[in-house]
Amino acid sequence: MDDTGKERAILIHQRSKRAENPEAVQELQLLANSAGALVCETITGFRSSPDPATYLGRGKVEQLRQAVSHHGAELVLIDHDISPIQERNLERSIGCRVLDRTGLILDIFAQRAASHEGKLQVELAQLRHLSTRLVRGWTHLERQKGGIGLRGPGETQLETDRRLIGQRIKHLNKRLARVSSQRGVRRKSRRKVPVSTVSLIGYTNAGKSSLFNRLTGARVLAEDRLFATLDPTMRKLALPGQDAVILSDTVGFIRELPHTLVQAFHSTLEEVANADLLLHVVDIADPDCRERMHHVECVLAEIGANAIPTVTVYNKIDLIDKEPRWQCDADGVPGKVWVSAQSGAGTELLIDAVSRQLRRHHRSYSLRLPSERGRLRASLFRRATVVSERIDRNGDCLLEVQMSESTFKWLQQLSEFDDDYLLDGPYRLDQVVGA
């Protein structure tokens, strides 16, 4: 380590196509910085297929060995997933610890996890990843040697580690299942009182947490680094003309997100899969934003959330001198909004777009409420959009409201509601008896 306590690291990016990919190299450097490494050198190269023994070719292995010796590096970070055998052979060749892409992301997650559930999920993912890499350790006990004092135990240390890891994985799966069940109970209780949920999603470092803070006034950690936020955070968001919604800030996605991570964080991603609306935050100043949007869409498809209505939020317009605006679809509902979470420009348009998106599937209902149903009337003003209100000669309230199907079902379950309060179709005062 250097004077700052950071590990000296050499970065390796080996592409399978001849075209350069500077964005991928930059992302690897950002991942290394997020993990707390001091990048000494970045080595790139081309190889049509990885070497089955060391992943890199002989020339690159020798170049890497010299770089490790020259910089006194303690760690080599590879921007790809490599096999346990490749990892072990490469470590032997260069005399330095090797970590692949999955191991690097897991280390960052372990630093960021703050909640009990987040720590359980990170530990589960780490153990699943480690269980395939025990070939690297305890090599002195892999064989049962003969001779006095050299006979190995009945169960080698490698087998013992595998068994203990397997038991721990089962234990963590049970604990996470309980946590997921508790989340389901809380989600079900929220559904009893219809409150729409909106989830912020997007590529890591797209500005989701900054936008979350801007919209809700929260103080979630927002830094210019990958995976600054890991545990989901929820806050109320007031909308014009209707009740507040629940806005959640989630972990950022990334290209080639390992399947083990998606499985371990499934209970957290359930909040995304069960949302009523998604806000896909995109760093519009990033020249590679289209490809990053594709990676996010792939993860959404993997967790079964690709059919949820989505508003694309192009963030950081202040970096490219663009004005806030929105773009509507064929139905006249905003589907794309250009904003700046840093300056706040366009956030009013975004809130209005969220409100319109949530109302687009609302139905209109005409109601006649007796004068003594003031409490029910107040609930309608809180939970639905009241288009118009009239008072007839008898003092009854004639209301035309717009609400979602879930809100209407909630309304019908109230003890003070009667189906006779419903009128057939939109009313007109001259057509309603007693008006």
Side-chain angles (χ1 to χ4, degrees), residues 33-194:
N33 293 333
S34 296
L38 177 65
V39 178
C40 299
E41 185 177 342
T42 301
I43 299 176
T44 62
F46 163 77
R47 187 180 176 91
S48 57
S49 60
D51 185 276
T54 58
Y55 184 78
L56 307 173
R58 291 184 180 178
K60 284 296 178 185
V61 171
E62 178 59 25
Q63 180 183 355
L64 177 59
R65 189 188 64 78
Q66 293 178 4
V68 168
S69 176
H70 174 72
H71 295 287
E74 304 147 294
L75 180 65
V76 170
L77 301 175
I78 299 182
D79 191 26
H80 307 276
D81 287 337
I82 62 177
S83 69
I85 296 297
Q86 291 171 333
E87 184 177 307
R88 182 192 64 182
N89 292 341
L90 196 55
E91 286 183 342
R92 289 177 175 176
S93 300
I94 64 176
C96 180
R97 189 159 55 93
V98 174
L99 198 62
D100 65 359
R101 181 182 179 84
T102 298
L104 177 58
I105 294 176
L106 283 172
D107 184 81
I108 297 173
F109 279 9
Q111 296 179 42
R112 304 287 191 271
S115 68
H116 173 66
E117 181 184 5
K119 292 177 180 178
L120 289 178
Q121 291 171 338
V122 171
E123 184 182 355
L124 177 60
Q126 286 179 319
L127 288 176
R128 282 176 172 166
H129 184 63
L130 178 62
S131 63
T132 64
R133 288 172 144 65
L134 291 179
V135 66
R136 182 177 67 181
W138 304 103
T139 54
H140 62 293
L141 292 175
E142 286 180 357
R143 296 188 186 134
Q144 297 184 20
K145 301 179 180 179
I148 298 175
L150 296 177
R151 294 184 178 89
E155 182 180 37
T156 65
Q157 183 64 50
L158 186 62
E159 293 167 339
T160 302
D161 285 350
R162 284 174 177 162
R163 176 171 52 80
L164 293 176
I165 287 177
Q167 292 174 353
R168 181 62 179 169
I169 287 176
K170 289 181 181 179
H171 178 67
L172 289 175
N173 279 325
K174 290 181 180 179
R175 294 179 66 179
L176 282 173
R178 288 197 297 268
V179 173
S180 180
S181 177
Q182 293 168 359
R183 276 183 175 272
V185 171
R186 291 196 295 268
R187 193 180 300 118
K188 187 176 180 180
S189 65
R190 290 201 303 265
R191 293 295 182 185
K192 290 181 180 179
V193 178

Side-chain angles (χ1 to χ4, degrees), residues 20 27 50 56 167 169 230 293 316 330 334 361 386 402 409:
E20 295 285 349
E27 184 177 272
L56 307 173
Q167 292 174 353
I169 287 176
L230 179 58
M293 291 174 65
K316 304 185 183 182
H361 298 298
V386 178
Q402 293 179 346
K409 289 180 179 179

Side-chain angles (χ1 to χ4, degrees), residues 367-383:
L367 302 168
R368 180 200 290 272
L369 300 183
S371 57
E372 63 269 17
R373 293 304 184 192
R375 183 176 176 182
L376 182 59
R377 173 183 173 275
S379 296
L380 285 171
F381 270 87
R382 287 197 308 269
R383 306 294 181 190

